[in-house]
Amino acid sequence: MNFSEVFKLSSLLCKFSPDGKYLASCVQYRLVIRDVNTLQILQLYTCLDQIQHIEWSADSLFILCAMYKRGLVQVWSLEQPEWHCRIDEGSAGLVASCWSPDGRHILNTTEFHLRITVWSLCTKSVSYIKYPKACQQGIAFTRDGRYMALAERRDCKDHVSIFVCSDWQLLRHFDTETQDLAGIEWAPNGCVLAVWDTCLEYKVLLYSLDGRLLSAYCAYEWSLGVKAVAWSPSSQFLAVGSYDGKVRILNHVTWKMITEFGHPATVNNPKTVVYKEAEKNPQLALGRLAFPAPRAAASPASNTESKFSLQTLKPIADRANPKIGVGALAFSPDNYFLATRSDSVPNAVWIWDIQKLRLFVVLEQLSPVRSFQWDPQQPRLAICTGGSKVYLWSPAGCLSVQVPGEGDFQVLSLCWHFSGDSMALLSKDHFCLCFLETEERVGTAFGRPGDHT
Amino acid sequence: MGEWMTVTDPDLSSESKNICQYTSETKMSPSSLYSQQVLCSSIPLSKNVHSFFSAFCTEENIEQSISYLDQELTTFGFPSLYEESKGKDTKRELNIVAVLNCMNELLVLQRKNLLAQENVETQNLKLGSDMDHLQNCYAKLKEQLETSRREMIGLQERDRQLQCKNRNLHQLLKNEKDEVQKLQNIIASRATQYNHDMKRKEREYNKLKERLHQLVMNKKDKKIAMEVLNYVGRADGKRGSWRTGKTEASFFLRNEDEMYKILLNDYEYRQKQILMENAELKKVLQQMKKEMISLLSPQKQKPRERADDSTGTVLSDAEEDAGELSRESLWDLSCETVREQLTNSIRKQWRILKSHVEKLDNQVSKVHLEGFNDEDVISRQDHEQETEKLELEIQQCKEMIKTQQQLLQQQLATACDDDTTSLLRDCYLLEEKERLKEEWSLFKEQKKNFEKERRSFTDAAIRLGLERKAFEEERASWLKQQFLNMTTFDHQNSENMKLFSAFSGSSDRDSLTVHSRPRQKKPHGVSNGSPVCTSKLTKSLPASPSTSDFCQTRSCASEHSSINVLNITPEEPKPNPVGREGTNQKWSMASRPGSQEGCYSGCSSTYRNSHVEKDDLP
């Protein structure tokens, strides 16, 4: 495993281009485009103000930089460095900006969610979409980029509009049976739209592309409901994490629950492997495998005692957004695993075996898990906790890597290159690339899975 | 009077001499009596008494004492001590005879009194000890009562406390429930309030938004603009087309078409997947079926032999099905008939397999039980007994032959001594020998016959056993049929009655066969709880116990029922052995030398016993 040198970064803005050739990063008002392999600066664009958001177009030809404070969006072309485009939302303000999947339109959401403006880079045409709903996840594009679903709010009722992205025509418009819609998400096959209600009510609705209600699912009533939703890449499963600390898996045939995964603070099943991170001497911090010793210490414990308790956080009951429930969940790209994090047990990541529908591994870190992301190519999970280490898990085992460099590199976020060969580790002011070994060398580095009981 | 008390008591215990002195005394002078000498007694109390009595009569006052005694005795109803005076002038003579009679009477009286006293004393002692015992008992019981009372109080206290607790808990529960209800109400009201407020706020917000929209958007904001160096081509290379009213509809239609195409594709894909899965499952099912058939076919002959038609036909059906379904053309069809066939055949086979497995289980259990099968044992016993008998007979015959032989030999020996008669006797001897030989052969034949008989008997016994088994099977099947025929419960009852009668009819037939075997153990075992037994029988008729058992138990039950009827009236003790026994007991109790009380208690106990028995029996 190799690390690149450390580069400057601001606002955690660093993104690989969809084709995997380039890496965009922002330093204040400058946008830097690098070659992924050589890390040489290919382009350097200067924006009008501090960049708050960047996004690659789907064809990796353009990149947009949003400056919400000024209501400005600047678009740069990689092929034609002299080409430029500036979109000013004026007094309407700007809160969100994104590409349409074709990479030729930009959707700007104005302040107060008054409207969404669709700017075209091909023609002079401008379209407006009124009444967008201000919610957690109000816009969703299908994976193939054909359709866009938009959550709307009209007359105190939730609606969903489905647009055809090629010409922004309204295809379907239907109201949803939600109190206060919180989010929408397309299934990866683009035929089913999952809609979930606000956290006050547990409700998951599934709509077909043509607006028919396929199914409604409600696990319980009178309690805080859905917190996070994730589709499996095969569209077979919908995992719903809720405030009761459980993940419910719905199937795509009957849309009924197959199983539910609880997240208790004690792991009872002796078949479950628990990896517990242990403190090590700082001199050895450079060692790439900090885990073997703790693993040896942790897994026998899980075997003999058959009970392993995790560190839990007592939620504050009288505050809004309590730290309970499953707040993050993600399927591995091959559908075999589901990684979840329960907010009341912030240090742990649960990895579930979807084939056997049972808990497979629990990783307990020393500090709260900031984020985790699956390798796009194989079942390999990268985890960061805001410390100077990055953690990797694969079915073969688990390891932690100290990020080299002077000073403390606190990994706050990470993103994978689509090939799975490298990933960008982001700290508050810097970022670096981490190159992972190719398959055969990884095998030796990960060690044997001797402790799978 | 105090002196009298002291006098009378020892008076009873004293000897006849005292009385003699008594009679000789004439005067009562208590003060002078003290100086008298002690006569004879070792008891200090009686010493005093004697001294007192000795002072009663002296030489001087004989007359007085006699008269005094006479007076006393006459007052007590004794005849006078004096002779009947003939004249008034003459001095009355002392009648010795009368004195002696009196004395004797007094002595007798004394003895009686002594006896009575003894009795009284012993009784007193007994009563005293009884008293002590009872007092002890009383004390103990009192203690017990006290402790139990204390215990009871403690328990009551505990009970009270628990009840109190319970009440409190109930109250708490009720409070909690109320609280929950209240909170739920509050939540509901809050929710409605919140929703209402939210709606109101949202409306306001919408109004504001609208207003803002108008203000911001209609002002012809110069700033809202896009500066582009030059427009870029579309990603798909097409040129953007302007939307006009005309093309709008066609666009829409095209979009719809595309959407439905996508949906259709998705559904097709899913259908394909499901079909594949189905095919796979079908394959598995077919394979399972084949394996089942192959597994079950070796056993095909067996059930057919058993004339159990149902399984046989099913099997043949299954075979046909297998033949049909093995054709590949039907294999891929998913039409309903094939599916039905497949599922039906699988189901049938599964049933066969299940029954087969059950049979195997039964066999295994039977094998376990076989060793203890009573019927077999009994027949063997019979055999053994029979053979024993026969062997005994043979032995006897042999012995007889032996004795005859001996006798003959003796005769021969005696005959040999006499030479002169030997010649004459020789012919006799020869005759005798021949006769003997004949007898021998006869005996042998008899022996053979015996053996034959024995064999035939064993054969007969075996046949009998088989016949019996067959009969039992027949009966069981009949019973089953009968049972199955019953529809309603009431019906069943009436059927049961019928069955009962049917059994009584058949039991006679059966009992004949049963009687030939010595089997008297069972009824004794059953007789203890015959009423229970009968009830059981009526209940478990379908289970069909062996007929002989049934008949025996039934007869037993009838016996007992008659006893029951008799026992209900224990006052008429004529045919009832129990009642008679009770009376006997009573008499013996009464004749025993004991207090009457004991007798009564004995009587009551016998009554109680009889009552208890009466209670037990029904």
Side-chain angles (χ1 to χ4, degrees), chain B residues 238-252:
Chain B
K238 281 184 206 159
R239 290 184 61 188
S241 52
W242 286 101
R243 263 181 274 165
T244 54
K246 248 188 177 176
T247 53
E248 194 96 344
S250 68
F251 268 124
F252 185 72

Side-chain angles (χ1 to χ4, degrees), chain B residues 50-90:
Chain B
H50 286 297
S51 64
F52 164 71
F53 277 118
S54 60
F56 172 65
C57 181
T58 51
E59 294 285 336
E60 298 92 50
N61 59 355
I62 288 173
E63 286 299 310
Q64 282 165 355
S65 357
I66 286 170
S67 65
Y68 173 73
L69 278 176
D70 180 56
Q71 262 175 34
E72 285 292 306
L73 284 168
T74 45
T75 53
F76 278 113
F78 288 98
S80 174
L81 294 180
Y82 296 104
E83 272 183 75
E84 293 281 312
S85 54
K86 277 133 194 176
K88 275 182 186 170
D89 56 328
T90 55

